[in-house]
Each structure stands twice: as C-alpha cells, then as structure tokens.
Amino acid sequence: MTTTTSHIPEHVPESEGPDGGVAAARPARLIHTESTTEIPVHLLFREEPAASSSAPPAEVKLRPAVVAHRSPPEQAEQPAKSAKSAKSAKDDRDTRDIGLRARPSAPGVDPEIAERPARVLPGIAGVLAGTFGAAGCAVTAWWAGVLPPLAVEALGVSAGTGGLGPAQWAAFAGAGALGLFGFGGLARGRTGRAWVLELFGRYRGTVRGTGLLWVNPLLLRRRVDVRLRHWRGDPLPAADRGGVALRVAVLVVWRVRDTARATLGVEDHQGYLRACVEAALLRVPVAAPGAGRGAVQATQDALTRLVAADAGPVGVEVCAVRPLRVEYAPEVAAAMHRRRVAALDARHRASVIGSVVDSVEDTVTRLTMRGLLDLDDYERRTLVKDLTVAFCAGRGDTGA
C-alpha cells in the first residue's frame, strides 16, 4: 500500500472579516478516508463568504488537502494472485506432461502402467498388403515354372522356365511374409470392447477403435470389456452400528476405465473388485433391517466412496454399490426375531394400557360429574381397579 499525505495543521483559521475578527476555526481535513482518489474542484478552490455585501471581497486562500492514495485490496493482491496463477499453470502443464502417470497407484501397481492409444492402421491397408503378397506369390510361382497346369490354362499364359533359384525363393519369402502380415493383422473392433497389446511382455498400447483394423500380428492381444457392467454377489458378512452380525447382498455397478492397469496391474480385476467390496462391508456399518431410507442412502454412499477409492488405482471405476438385501446372520437371526417380537408386544401392551386408562378416567369422571356416585378415596380406588380389570379382560377377549 502506498500512501501520500501532505502535512497540514489540525485547524486552519478562517479569513478575517471586515471587523478584524477571526471566524471560528473548523477542521481543514476535507477527506477522511484514504480510499478517496478524486477531489472535487470546488472544495479545493473555494471563496470564504463575506460578512456583508458592502465589505470588500475576502482574499481567496487555497486550503491544503489530504490526498491519500491507497491501492484497493484487489490491486494489492493482484501481483500475488498473478504469481500464484502462473505457478498453478506451470503445475497443470507438468501434470499434463506426466499424463496418466500422475494417478494414484495402489500398493504393488507399477506407476508406469497407464493406458495409451496403440498404433494401428485402417483395415484396408491390411487387405491391400495381403492381396499384393498373394499376387506376388502367384507371379513368383509362374516365374519359377511351378504354377499348376490348370492355373496356366485358365490364365492363358505360358509357363515360366526359370526354376526355383535363390531369387525365386527370396521373392516367395518376401511375398509370403507380406501376405501373412497383411491378412494376419486384420481385426474387427467392436463397440464396448478393447484390446490390450503386448510385445514380448511389454505394454504397447490399447485399441478402442471399431470396424476393420490392422494390428501388428506379432503383438499379443488381450480383449477387455469396457462397457458398463453390474455384479450381484452372494450375501457377504457385515455388521450394523451396534455390532450385530448381518448378511448383505450388494449390487455393484462398475466399468473398466484404464485397460492397462486393469489387465496388467492386477491378476484379476473382477476378483480384486469383489475383495474391495468385502473389505468395505467390514469397515462400514450397514443399516439394520427395517431402517429408514435415510440410513440406507447413507450406507450406500459410504460403500460407494470406499470401494471407488480402493478400486480406482487399478483402473476400475465404481459407479454405485447398493445393498439389495440385508438380513441378520444365522447365528443371531433367532435372537433378533425374538427381540423384535418382544418389542412389538411391548408396544402393543403400552397402547392397550393407555386406552384402558383413558376409558376408566372418562367413566369415573362422567359418573362423578352427573352426581350418580358420591365416593370417598377408598371407594374411588376400588372402582378404578375394578373398571381397569374389566376393560383389560374385555380387550383381551376381543383380541384388541
């Protein structure tokens, strides 16, 4: 912040009037905030009012003013923000240069393994190369004179007489290799499927294209399904907030995001996903049977976040983990059933007793208010007891 302040006295006397008196002093500081940068001209060059119209005009005095200049907070912080933005941009460029290697990797996963597109050619290139190779083999056979007689008659050409010499063998080898490479590298790419290519154990890229393609036939191809998939497993062990054992069947919606990590990072990415789900169920308290929708949604969100964090470094994207069926474990199922029945029975008894007490109170109040009974405390207690027993017996007989 840069502040420029001109020094002035605290009070400046006014212009002397015609009577030689001095007017009352008033503050000369016209601008009280340092954030003001523009000063009205009429405040800087102002004439003092005269005492009377007949008096000569007073001498014009210029009042010094405080001119303070303070950079706004936004401008003061602008250099720091610019430096920070430049640093952030540099970090982003570094991250883009690193590419997928910046992803968090699971323990044991090579950070160098990251999906990248493989070099493939359109299928027409393989077809042309195979056709030229086959044609070269045919021409070489005619040149060597080993073309079958039926083919010679069908083509209407004379048989060659060169024989199988070194030149013919070299031509056969070149044309045959060209034909094998051309036709052997043809592949059909389909939507939702990908190939992970390897050459002598080294990752060479991933093919996600569709249609007729030509892939180097020397590369080992591993087909990977990259469509959105779901997995519904058998009931797995879990526990609720109270530590009661449960059995939970879950539905996992997932897909392969990074084919290289899913194929080369782990031996079986589907088995790894099942293990992540089992581990998450043991760490997250599951909503007990009969819980509300809010508790079930909270359980689903917690399971999804945990499984996605565990499976993400191996190239598997988890969209949702939904508990489908939650039940008590067999060893505690009978005890929990008895507990639930007891709770329902206690709730029913409480409702019955409440209704009986209300009925007895209403009956005694009506009899007393109408003057049908004039009872003392002992008789009132006896009447209440008898009515309570009668009402309870009546509700028990009717099954209410």
Side-chain angles (χ1 to χ4, degrees):
M1 180 184 70
T2 304
T3 304
T4 304
T5 306
S6 60
H7 177 73
I8 61 172
E10 184 65 21
H11 295 283
V12 177
E14 297 290 339
S15 303
E16 296 183 358
D19 54 354
V22 180
R26 65 177 182 180
R29 183 170 298 176
L30 301 179
I31 302 174
H32 300 280
T33 57
E34 294 182 346
S35 59
T36 303
T37 58
E38 296 182 1
I39 302 175
V41 178
H42 71 279
L43 294 180
L44 295 177
F45 307 94
R46 184 177 62 179
E47 297 180 358
E48 296 297 330
S52 63
S53 58
S54 60
E59 182 182 357
V60 178
K61 294 184 177 181
L62 298 181
R63 297 179 178 275
V66 178
V67 181
H69 176 73
R70 173 182 292 180
S71 301
E74 295 81 1
Q75 298 180 2
E77 296 176 0
Q78 186 174 2
K81 290 184 178 180
S82 302
K84 187 175 181 181
S85 301
K87 183 178 180 181
S88 301
K90 183 179 181 299
D91 295 341
D92 295 341
R93 288 195 300 270
D94 295 341
T95 303
R96 288 195 297 268
D97 293 340
I98 295 174
L100 296 177
R101 297 180 183 179
R103 295 181 180 179
S105 59
V109 178
D110 187 1
E112 299 293 332
I113 300 177
E115 180 179 335
R116 60 178 183 272
R119 297 179 180 178
V120 295
L121 298 177
I124 188 63
V127 173
L128 293 177
T131 303
F132 286 143
C137 290
V139 171
T140 304
W142 170 81
W143 178 26
V146 295
L147 198 67
L150 295 178
V152 173
E153 295 177 1
L155 295 175
V157 296
S158 59
T161 58
L164 290 174
Q168 287 78 9
W169 282 114
F172 262 121
L178 181 61
L180 290 177
F181 262 79
F183 289 125
L186 293 177
R188 184 183 63 175
R190 291 187 292 177
T191 304
R193 303 293 178 89
W195 286 307
V196 176
L197 306 181
E198 292 183 75
L199 179 61
F200 304 119
R202 185 178 180 182
Y203 174 63
R204 304 301 296 175
T206 299
V207 179
R208 288 181 177 261
T210 57
L212 187 63
L213 304 172
W214 184 85
V215 183
N216 188 349
L218 298 179
L219 299 176
L220 177 63
R221 309 175 190 176
R222 293 189 181 185
R223 185 177 294 273
V224 182
D225 192 346
V226 295
R227 295 174 295 182
L228 189 67
R229 307 167 65 183
H230 70 277
W231 167 68
R232 179 176 179 176
D234 298 331
L236 300 174
D240 61 2
R241 294 186 179 277
V244 180
L246 301 174
R247 303 286 291 180
V248 183
V250 297
L251 174 67
V252 183
V253 182
W254 63 283
R255 63 179 174 179
V256 175
R257 172 65 68 179
D258 192 318
T259 56
R261 290 181 179 273
T263 306
L264 307 177
V266 290
E267 182 177 359
D268 182 11
H269 59 273
Q270 297 186 25
Y272 182 81
L273 179 61
R274 295 190 185 96
C276 291
V277 173
E278 294 180 6
L281 286 174
L282 294 178
R283 287 182 285 176
V284 175
V286 181
R293 181 173 299 180
V296 175
Q297 184 66 32
T299 300
Q300 174 181 331
D301 295 342
L303 288 174
T304 302
R305 287 194 301 268
L306 198 57
V307 177
D310 291 341
V314 297
V316 177
E317 179 185 6
V318 178
C319 301
V321 180
R322 301 187 180 95
L324 295 181
R325 187 176 69 255
V326 181
E327 57 187 12
Y328 290 103
E331 59 271 15
V332 298
M336 297 306 298
H337 178 69
R338 291 194 298 268
R339 180 179 177 181
R340 178 175 295 183
V341 171
L344 294 175
D345 185 60
R347 189 181 307 171
H348 176 68
R349 288 178 181 273
S351 63
V352 169
I353 292 175
S355 61
V356 168
V357 170
D358 293 340
S359 300
V360 171
E361 182 182 4
D362 184 60
T363 302
V364 174
T365 303
R366 288 187 178 186
L367 291 175
T368 304
M369 292 181 62
R370 294 182 181 183
L372 300 178
L373 293 176
D374 186 10
L375 305 175
D376 55 9
D377 293 341
Y378 177 76
E379 292 175 345
R380 183 184 297 275
R381 287 195 297 269
T382 303
L383 179 60
V384 169
K385 178 181 179 181
D386 295 340
L387 290 176
T388 303
V389 173
F391 286 158
C392 287
R395 290 182 178 272
D397 294 338
T398 58

